[in-house]
Amino acid sequence: MRMQNYTVLKLLLSVVFMSFVTDLNAADRFSVASGNWSDTVTWSATRGGPPGFSIPGPGDNVFIDDGYTVSVDLSDAICYSVTVGQGLSGILNIGRPTTQPNSQSLTVISDLTVNTGANIIPRRNNGKHMLIVGGDIYNNGTMRFSSGTRNGPVCNVIMNGSGSQALGGTVPVQFNDLAIESTSITSFITPGQTVKGTLLSDGILTADGNLTLLSDPLGTALVDGSGTGQVTGNVTMQRYLTEGFGYKYVSSPFVEATVAELGDDTDLTAGFPACFRYDESQAGSGWISHIAPADILNTLSGYAVNFGAVLAPLTIDISGTVADGNHSITLYNHNSSKTNGFNLVGNPYPSPIDWDAAGWTKDNVDNAIYRFSASTTDQYGGTYSSYINGVSSDGVTTNIIPSMQGFFVHVTDGAYPVTAMLGTSNTVRTNNKTVTFLKSGSAIGRFLIRAVATFADDTASADPQVIYFDDAASDGFDTEYDALKLLNTDIGLTNFYSVIENGKNLSVNALPLQAGEKLSVPLGLVTYRAGEVCFKLQTIENEPLTMNLLFIDAEAGTSINFSQGGEYRVTLPAGRHEGRFSLVFLKTTAGNEDVDYETDIISAYVSGNMIIAEVNDIDAGQGEMTVYDISGRTLYTREVYGPGRTVFHMNTGAGIYIIRYSSGTIQVVEKLIMGR
């Protein structure tokens, strides 16, 4: 946030300052009572003197004396300097304790000093106040500009002096949002300064190793990429992890930070390497140990780092010189059977980035990203999710990539080896402080389904896949619309995907709008153990009214209607299962017979106010015919004992109806539209 709301205010205050700074009546102002800045009873012209003097102005030195609390209740309070506390107390509140309709602002033209025992804090819940300082800040007491809650009161600080400004004193300050104006050269003198929100530098900020960008469950601080100035000297960035267990894909937001930066968060001397880099050209898995403390954490590269076997939350950190501006990395696809053209890259900035933003260079790079989430039971395993074209495979991963996060991309197939280039600029950066270290894409208006396969005895073993329809997609692999399938490394999970030409496996499959009456999508499954597997529809979005969605098991000769929330269970051995399962999209036509899946076991049609269903299979035995309305409510159920006709007199009138025939392992579903 650039704090532009205060630009007009600062211009007006500068005019006020020029008008009054030479006022012969300008004087010191001392607090002689607790109260509001705007109340004359709060102020005296002498320490301990009588109250009733004018409120502070641009030429006044303000002293908040011991024992008094003064609350800034104006949107444009101004003074020359402020000293809080003369000994062991004194409080300056930015804002009032009670609710007010507007946020408050205090401009200090020169220096701000907080003495030992005194403090400055923001007040009023949901308040966002402003402190503008033109001189130095000396803190020997307490200066806390953000609360411990996301919606609590905060005070944002602007350093707007002309020339050098210092942040010193014996006690560090916790800022919320901090802005360095273009005229300011601000130096952090005291170690331990922190920012909880956004750091924006249009001037020069010299951190000198004294600044930390904080991270907690509520969000992670960031450096605003729109700043036109510089942040020099070492900065430390934190990243809160909800669980420290297992491997995380991380990246460095700094230029040429080293592996030694990870040494306080993981054991670099462990028997099994705690840090790996990824080399796509390797004939093996691609993973190469990267644990020497002097090894560089390259900009735009990702690394797999194991933070141990503890499930408790963990806050990691890296220090270095802030990465800014343009960055690029050369990537490859050698068509290796193990690495398959995937490259592990990472967010190069101390701020989140937007994969869909302008400013990326993706030469020979597919438009999907692949994120990894560590297992909660297998320290060396985890799951992969993907995002492309506004769609995520799991409904969680989005286009926003947090700071310090690594992720896979795929170099486009071609004449091998394929050379690619991935590049970034500051325009890909975003100021979303609350995105977690792994979050859904939008596919508004598109017909989209999310299906999952899971072991029946372990609901946590589910693996999702997405199929959606886009008029720009093709039946083959589209680098702009499809996401490949990366097999999970957690052996307790299933691996569910759709299969297209050339044996490509997809986690997100974009298909052209359906022209024919039937579209069959082959499915694949890889399991690492035997067991009963449950296939079911997780969500369906924007389903056409004239569509049936069937899950087909060709080996068992079974079809299940997914549109009505059906599920299919089958016991399978460990291994790869392809050529057996599929999803079939069937179009229906109002008032006419529905297209059935291959066997034409039943036919159904509308005649006046009747639905007539016929069982055509001469081998059909006893079964059941059920009619539902579009909400899934059961309207009629009839027993059937073989081939023949069943008539349903529909007293419910016009609408969309579902008719299901079930007999043994056979289930066939038709959708009909009854006109008015």
Side-chain angles (χ1 to χ4, degrees):
M1 174 177 168
R2 293 187 61 81
M3 309 180 192
Q4 292 173 338
N5 294 338
Y6 297 91
T7 301
V8 175
L9 170 64
K10 290 189 288 177
L11 290 174
L12 291 174
L13 292 175
S14 66
V15 173
V16 173
F17 169 62
M18 295 300 295
S19 301
F20 290 97
V21 73
T22 57
D23 189 337
L24 296 177
N25 294 321
D28 294 342
R29 289 291 179 265
F30 298 87
S31 64
V32 291
S34 293
N36 293 326
W37 187 282
S38 64
D39 294 337
T40 58
V41 295
T42 305
W43 305 108
S44 177
T46 58
R47 176 166 285 121
F53 282 77
S54 60
I55 68 173
D60 293 335
N61 299 304
V62 172
F63 299 89
I64 311 299
D65 280 357
D66 290 353
Y68 299 121
T69 298
V70 176
S71 299
V72 176
D73 60 334
L74 301 174
S75 61
D76 58 357
I78 185 171
C79 63
Y80 185 73
S81 69
V82 172
T83 301
V84 184
Q86 295 302 307
L88 298 175
S89 64
I91 299 173
L92 177 62
N93 291 330
I94 310 295
R96 292 178 59 185
T98 56
T99 300
Q100 288 191 183
N102 299 310
S103 296
Q104 284 69 54
S105 172
L106 172 62
T107 296
V108 181
I109 296 167
S110 184
D111 297 340
L112 172 63
T113 302
V114 179
N115 288 321
T116 303
N119 65 73
I120 296 180
I121 56 175
R123 298 300 300 268
R124 191 173 74 82
N125 284 340
N126 298 313
K128 181 166 284 188
H129 312 297
M130 184 63 58
L131 175 64
I132 303 165
V133 180
D136 298 333
I137 295 178
Y138 299 100
N139 182 41
N140 300 310
T142 300
M143 295 180 73
R144 188 186 71 249
F145 293 116
S146 62
S147 66
T149 63
R150 180 175 297 174
N151 295 321
V154 298
C155 181
N156 296 331
V157 177
I158 293 177
M159 306 294 283
N160 77 331
S162 296
S164 297
Q165 294 182 261
L167 181 60
T170 60
V171 181
V173 178
Q174 179 177 297
F175 294 95
N176 186 57
D177 291 352
L178 174 64
I180 313 301
E181 294 287 89
S182 59
T183 56
S184 175
I185 303 172
T186 298
S187 299
F188 280 9
I189 306 302
T190 304
Q193 313 290 346
T194 57
V195 171
K196 192 174 183 180
T198 298
L199 171 63
L200 170 67
S201 182
D202 286 325
I204 297 176
L205 172 61
T206 304
D208 281 342
N210 296 326
L211 171 63
T212 297
L213 302 173
L214 299 175
S215 182
D216 61 25
L218 301 181
T220 297
L222 59 90
V223 177
D224 191 329
S226 68
T228 58
Q230 301 177 44
V231 178
T232 65
N234 276 7
V235 173
T236 297
M237 184 166 202
Q238 295 181 347
R239 169 51 68 177
Y240 174 84
L241 306 176
T242 55
E243 292 179 348
F245 187 83
Y247 280 94
K248 307 290 189 293
Y249 290 179
V250 303
S251 64
S252 170
F254 304 116
V255 178
E256 293 191 342
T258 64
V259 172
E261 291 295 328
L262 302 170
D264 59 338
D265 301 313
T266 188
D267 183 6
L268 296 175
T269 65
F272 193 83
C275 180
F276 287 91
R277 61 184 175 89
Y278 193 81
D279 186 345
E280 185 277 339
S281 68
Q282 293 292 306
S285 68
W287 295 108
I288 298 175
S289 175
H290 196 70
I291 58 173
D295 286 345
I296 299 296
L297 299 175
N298 291 307
T299 305
L300 253 179
S301 292
Y303 300 88
V305 182
N306 194 318
F307 293 106
V310 179
L311 287 172
L314 175 68
T315 300
I316 64 174
D317 61 75
I318 297 177
S319 299
T321 303
V322 167
D324 189 39
N326 298 337
H327 297 277
S328 64
I329 187 172
T330 301
L331 309 174
Y332 297 96
N333 183 344
H334 289 84
N335 198 29
S336 168
S337 61
K338 296 294 181 65
T339 58
N340 292 306
F342 284 96
N343 291 255
L344 185 58
V345 298
N347 182 347
Y349 301 112
S351 61
I353 54 178
D354 184 349
W355 183 249
D356 291 338
W360 287 92
T361 300
K362 303 174 184 177
D363 292 342
N364 284 335
V365 177
D366 296 352
N367 197 34
I369 56 175
Y370 303 85
R371 303 268 288 276
F372 179 79
S373 179
S375 169
T376 59
T377 57
D378 178 2
Q379 187 178 343
Y380 303 99
T383 61
Y384 287 100
S385 58
S386 56
Y387 169 87
I388 188 169
N389 191 33
V391 180
S392 64
S393 63
D394 60 354
V396 177
T397 301
T398 70
N399 52 304
I400 304 301
I401 303 166
S403 52
M404 295 175 64
Q405 174 118 50
F407 57 99
F408 272 112
V409 296
H410 182 261
V411 171
T412 305
D413 293 326
Y416 304 107
V418 179
T419 301
M421 197 266 278
L422 183 69
T424 63
S425 67
N426 280 337
T427 57
V428 309
R429 298 168 70 171
T430 182
N431 286 2
N432 187 337
K433 295 187 287 291
T434 59
V435 64
T436 59
F437 205 70
L438 235 186
K439 200 176 169 188
S440 138
S442 173
I444 296 174
R446 288 184 276 196
F447 176 27
L448 179 150
I449 68 162
R450 298 182 188 279
V452 296
T454 181
F455 284 112
D457 60 359
D458 182 9
T459 58
S461 66
D463 192 44
Q465 68 155 304
V466 171
I467 298 172
Y468 73 102
F469 291 85
D470 191 306
D471 56 6
S474 71
D475 293 324
F477 179 70
D478 299 301
T479 61
E480 294 296 316
Y481 306 105
D482 295 325
L484 297 166
K485 177 63 179 179
L486 274 172
L487 294 184
N488 302 316
T489 56
D490 186 337
I491 62 174
L493 273 64
T494 63
N495 295 273
F496 192 30
Y497 51 89
S498 55
V499 183
I500 62 170
E501 62 180 14
N502 299 324
K504 286 187 179 298
N505 302 329
L506 302 183
S507 58
V508 177
N509 186 0
L511 295 170
L513 298 179
Q514 187 174 346
E517 292 181 334
K518 183 176 75 172
L519 172 66
S520 180
V521 180
L523 304 176
L525 181 74
V526 172
T527 59
Y528 302 114
R529 70 175 176 94
E532 185 183 30
V533 177
C534 176
F535 299 91
K536 61 183 178 180
L537 187 70
Q538 189 175 49
T539 59
I540 185 166
E541 302 172 13
N542 307 305
E543 181 186 18
L545 294 178
T546 57
M547 180 70 70
N548 281 328
L549 177 60
L550 305 180
F551 180 87
I552 306 299
D553 182 347
E555 185 174 308
T558 302
S559 66
I560 299 296
N561 183 271
F562 264 16
S563 297
Q564 295 301 306
E567 64 177 43
Y568 180 66
R569 296 185 176 221
V570 61
T571 300
L572 298 171
R576 183 177 295 270
H577 306 276
E578 292 182 359
R580 174 173 180 172
F581 305 111
S582 62
L583 279 176
V584 175
F585 297 84
L586 294 177
K587 280 188 174 181
T588 63
T589 305
N592 294 326
E593 177 183 333
D594 267 7
V595 177
D596 204 331
Y597 172 69
E598 293 184 352
T599 57
D600 291 328
I601 293 174
I602 69 168
S603 59
Y605 56 94
V606 173
S607 177
N609 67 342
M610 298 182 297
I611 291 179
I612 301 172
E614 294 191 39
V615 178
N616 304 316
D617 190 343
I618 61 174
D619 295 323
Q622 182 175 350
E624 188 175 78
M625 197 85 72
T626 306
V627 178
Y628 305 86
D629 64 16
I630 192 62
S631 68
R633 181 168 56 99
T634 300
L635 300 179
Y636 304 99
T637 299
R638 303 273 176 81
E639 293 288 327
V640 294
Y641 299 92
R645 174 179 296 185
T646 303
V647 178
F648 299 93
H649 293 274
M650 305 300 295
N651 299 322
T652 51
I656 301 172
Y657 297 94
I658 310 297
I659 184 166
R660 183 180 70 183
Y661 167 73
S662 60
S663 175
T665 61
I666 298 173
Q667 292 195 58
V668 180
V669 177
E670 304 277 3
K671 182 186 294 183
L672 299 174
I673 299 177
M674 180 174 286
R676 297 185 183 276

